């Protein structure tokens, strides 16, 4: 099976792909739309892209593309802890505290803001297009004594030495990746999994009444269906028109969730089922 | 007044700052936390950062920092249309269709995915750390006949010629920026504005019952208070714990919204008022 992912090699998405699909072929793409187009045109069998709280990708781009363009289905969710490490060229291991400048993706620098402030205040921080690109640069310039911030895969890929582990500010921070396929199937992976869940995209009736959303949630609430996520997104048909992404903590096979969807459609809502799937945890090495 | 913003110069945030605070001093910052720390430590009087659907910044970073770290207040919202243009060095204006490669921020490349696919299929796409950095590179390498994707401010700043206007795929796409201050005040700007709104951060009671969120929304719904945005975010105290960002289309001075907040607190919710402010539209030139 060919697994496309948001690259470059050694990105956080690549790390999740290696954890979930270790025996398959991995194909990097430059952007999220490129990766989804690769799936739609059958260059690959699965696309893995970040959905929430990601480093390299933007959540809105994934969500909007799924809503507006792509007729694809979520087959699994991969949840990976964000672990940022400080790494240098092996030649500079003994003098890493005198590092001249520190390179990484702007989001990674932001996630290690407090560490950098208290440990390396005043040191030059330079942004790169990805954490992997920062690691590559450091590996190619041992004479500079610069450091990169990134994941353990980037250190391994580019032969760098991790000198401080887990320098990110928040230790319960995770990135959610979705595995996408052209067909609505359920991927069973050899990883620890939690209960199934179902992701819906709901567009409210066009009359923008206060309480419309409240009525939508009633359909879930009285059935005791728990929602683990709800998010409004602009419809791009003008300001003030929204659709909602709702995660229900139940498989689509349950009779209750089908009843809720029927009720929403009777209320004038449009409901798109993005997938019914399992959530898997990726362990960082 | 000193206005800090997410840089670099000629970024989309800078464009919004120029539109809203044309007569003030502008100070670029490398990351969103840096900009917010600059505000807290009184290096600047206002911080302007992207909140939603941004190019250079990540929404989660802004929202999480406001929730977890920064005791700051929203004083205004700036809404700017995303308009991406294709620009080349003036020396290459006549041969722009033969451009060798196209540079921009990965999100900008993603936003122009269809244009690039139909117009420049197979041409090399290269990511840069920002749209402004792409424009700067193109301005310094006329011999390459490369093009950048970015905003009109970047073209102006780096002396490039726009050869195709509005090449982005979705024409109703906007970026929301927030103006932040250390004190809860209301910024009155000389721009077209819509009605006031109030942004709340609500943490649900710790018992994770189905229907908790529904009960929260009831407090707004029976008062006919319209919500223009709702989004759940992980609390970072473990998976499955969420807080909600809710935009209410009314000033905090209204008696109804205060009643709703009192009711939420009586239900065991924690409510933080991030600001009561006006939304202003930035017009791109």
């Amino acid at each position: 099976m060919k697994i496309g992912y948001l690259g470059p090699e050694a990105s956080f998405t690549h790390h999740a792909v290696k954890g979930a699909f270790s025996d398959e072929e991995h194909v990097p793409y430059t952007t999220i739309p490129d990766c989804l187009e690769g799936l739609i045109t059958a260059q690959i069998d699965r696309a893995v892209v970040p959905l929430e709280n990601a480093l390299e990708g933007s959540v809105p781009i994934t969500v909007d593309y799924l809503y507006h363009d792509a007729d694809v289905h979520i087959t699994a969710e991969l949840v990976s802890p964000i672990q940022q490490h400080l790494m240098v060229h092996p030649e500079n291991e003994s003098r890493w505290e005198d590092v001249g400048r520190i390179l990484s993706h702007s989001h990674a620098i932001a996630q290690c803001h407090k560490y950098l402030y208290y440990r390396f205040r005043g040191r030059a921080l330079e942004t790169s297009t990805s954490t992997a690109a920062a690691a590559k640069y450091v590996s190619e310039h041992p004479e500079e004594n610069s450091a990169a911030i990134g994941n353990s895969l980037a250190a391994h890929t580019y032969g760098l030495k991790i000198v401080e582990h887990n320098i990110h500010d928040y230790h319960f921070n995770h990135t959610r990746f979705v595995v996408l396929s052209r067909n609505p199937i359920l991927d069973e992976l050899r990883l620890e999994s939690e209960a199934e869940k179902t992701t819906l995209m709901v567009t409210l009736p066009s009359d923008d009444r206060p309480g419309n959303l409240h009525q939508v949630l009633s359909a879930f609430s009285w059935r005791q269906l728990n929602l683990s996520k709800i998010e409004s997104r602009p419809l791009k048909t003008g300001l003030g028109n929204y659709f909602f992404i709702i995660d229900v903590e139940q498989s689509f096979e349950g009779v209750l969730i089908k009843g809720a969807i029927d009720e929403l459609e009777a209320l004038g809502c449009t409901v798109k089922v993005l997938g019914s799937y399992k959530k898997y945890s990726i362990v960082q090495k």
Side-chain angles (χ1 to χ4, degrees), chain A residues 119-141:
Chain A
R119 195 75 186 69
F120 288 103
R121 199 178 315 175
R123 226 66 67 95
L125 303 174
E126 200 160 309
T127 57
S128 53
T129 54
S130 68
T131 54
K136 185 165 186 279
Y137 181 91
V138 168
S139 76
E140 290 166 354
H141 296 83

Side-chain angles (χ1 to χ4, degrees), chain A residues 83-87 96 112 115 150-152 155 161-168 171 284-285:
Chain A
Q83 293 186 293
Q84 303 284 9
H85 312 302
L86 189 74
M87 51 192 77
W96 66 270
C112 303
Y115 171 84
N151 63 22
S152 53
K161 186 80 192 169
I162 294 177
V163 288
E164 290 244 72
H165 284 85
N166 298 321
I167 62 169
H168 47 283
H171 287 270
Q284 275 217 349
K285 277 153 211 141

Side-chain angles (χ1 to χ4, degrees), chain A residues 87-91 135 139 152-162:
Chain A
M87 51 192 77
V88 299
H89 195 281
E91 288 179 17
S139 76
S152 53
L153 180 60
H156 179 77
T157 303
Y158 296 106
L160 300 185
K161 186 80 192 169
I162 294 177

Side-chain angles (χ1 to χ4, degrees), chain A residues 12 52-55 59 78-84 107-113 166-177 282 284:
Chain A
F12 276 81
E52 189 176 301
N53 196 17
L55 272 179
V59 185
L78 311 176
V79 177
S80 180
I82 292 190
Q83 293 186 293
Q84 303 284 9
H107 295 185
I109 290 175
Q111 286 177 355
C112 303
H113 174 76
N166 298 321
I167 62 169
H168 47 283
D169 296 333
Y170 291 105
H171 287 270
F172 287 99
N173 207 2
H174 290 74
T175 299
R176 295 173 61 205
F177 302 91
I282 304 283
Q284 275 217 349

Side-chain angles (χ1 to χ4, degrees), chain A residues 186-246:
Chain A
L186 181 71
D187 271 330
E188 297 280 0
L189 305 175
R190 282 166 296 172
L191 288 170
E192 195 189 321
S193 84
E194 296 172 43
E196 275 183 63
K197 62 186 212 179
T198 301
T199 297
L200 308 173
M201 286 185 167
V202 178
T203 312
L204 298 186
S206 52
D207 58 321
D208 185 25
R209 288 187 298 109
N212 262 344
L213 176 61
H214 177 249
Q215 208 175 13
V216 166
L217 293 183
S218 301
F220 297 102
S221 176
W222 77 259
R223 289 179 173 86
Q224 306 252 314
L225 290 167
N226 209 359
L227 309 182
S228 58
K229 181 193 166 118
I230 179 161
E231 187 182 336
S232 55
R233 288 285 310 148
L235 265 176
K236 300 188 180 181
T237 53
L239 282 178
N241 302 326
Y242 284 80
F243 68 92
F244 292 86
I245 304 123
I246 295 175

